[in-house]
Amino acid sequence: MKKFFTLALLAATLLLAAPAQAQIAFGVKAGMNMTKFEMDGNMPDTKTRNGFFVGPTVKFTLPIVGLGVDASALYNQVEAKYDEGGSIKQQSLQIPVNVRYGIGLGDLVNVFAFAGPQFGFNIGDKSKDYGVGEWKWNTSNLSANIGVGATLFSHLQATVNYNFALGKTGEFKNSNRLDQYGQVISGAKGKGNSWQIGVAYFF
């Protein structure tokens, strides 16, 4: 948790430290995520399922050729389905803060790569009881993004990125499953990783 808030503070400092002469653009972002949860212990992994995200976004173009920063506040919904039946769904507020570097042809088109941390806060159900165990979401989580994108006419943007968890997303409590030695598994942690396709419009 200490590491989480340290990274959050560094991200906030980066945004506040953006020079006054930086160009700022506000917009709206939406897209689709394809998420798979990987479980430890003797718990089954999940099938990839589609979800979505939407929310406001802001882009800083710094007075250094090609360099910029963007941040968003996204309502994010992901879902996972188990091979053995049943599913879990999470609703969260996700705050990605990405550093980007791009090359372009003036205002016509700009191609860029980006990477950065993403801070998540669960705003939906905290847990779900399966009878054989209870799945509990983390109140907050930390992940990271790496991806590429393109901006057309300074307004329309499309991105593709991979978001991977830097810690557990949730865990099973009091599971009645048995491990390979026939012992009861008391709990199992899971990480949710997603491919994301997004579009944004900047005003």
Side-chain angles (χ1 to χ4, degrees), residues 2 17 29 33 42 45 51 81 84 87 98 116 140 153 203:
K2 183 178 180 181
K29 184 175 184 178
N33 56 58
N42 197 30
D45 289 342
K81 185 175 182 180
E84 299 179 358
S87 63
N98 297 308
S140 59
F153 307 111
F203 305 103

Side-chain angles (χ1 to χ4, degrees), residues 35 37 52 75-80 88-94 120-125 135 137-141 169-170 192:
T35 303
F37 282 84
F52 68 92
Y75 168 80
N76 186 66
Q77 181 172 299
V78 299
E79 184 177 3
I88 53 177
K89 182 183 293 186
Q90 182 191 40
Q91 301 173 75
S92 64
L93 172 66
Q94 297 291 329
F121 304 91
N122 185 48
I123 58 175
D125 294 336
W135 172 262
W137 295 105
N138 279 11
T139 301
S140 59
N141 56 75
T169 307

Side-chain angles (χ1 to χ4, degrees), residues 137-191:
W137 295 105
N138 279 11
T139 301
S140 59
N141 56 75
L142 177 65
S143 59
N145 291 310
I146 182 168
V148 295
T151 303
L152 300 176
F153 307 111
S154 300
H155 293 289
L156 185 62
Q157 176 180 284
T159 55
V160 177
N161 70 278
Y162 186 63
N163 175 262
F164 54 96
L166 297 178
K168 69 176 182 180
T169 307
E171 62 182 321
F172 266 102
K173 296 285 190 177
N174 303 319
S175 171
N176 291 329
R177 295 181 63 88
L178 302 180
D179 62 18
Q180 58 182 325
Y181 305 107
Q183 302 297 313
V184 175
I185 301 173
S186 60
K189 300 175 182 178
K191 293 183 177 182

Side-chain angles (χ1 to χ4, degrees), residues 24-36:
I24 302 176
F26 295 93
V28 177
K29 184 175 184 178
M32 178 180 70
N33 56 58
M34 293 156 282
T35 303
K36 181 178 177 63

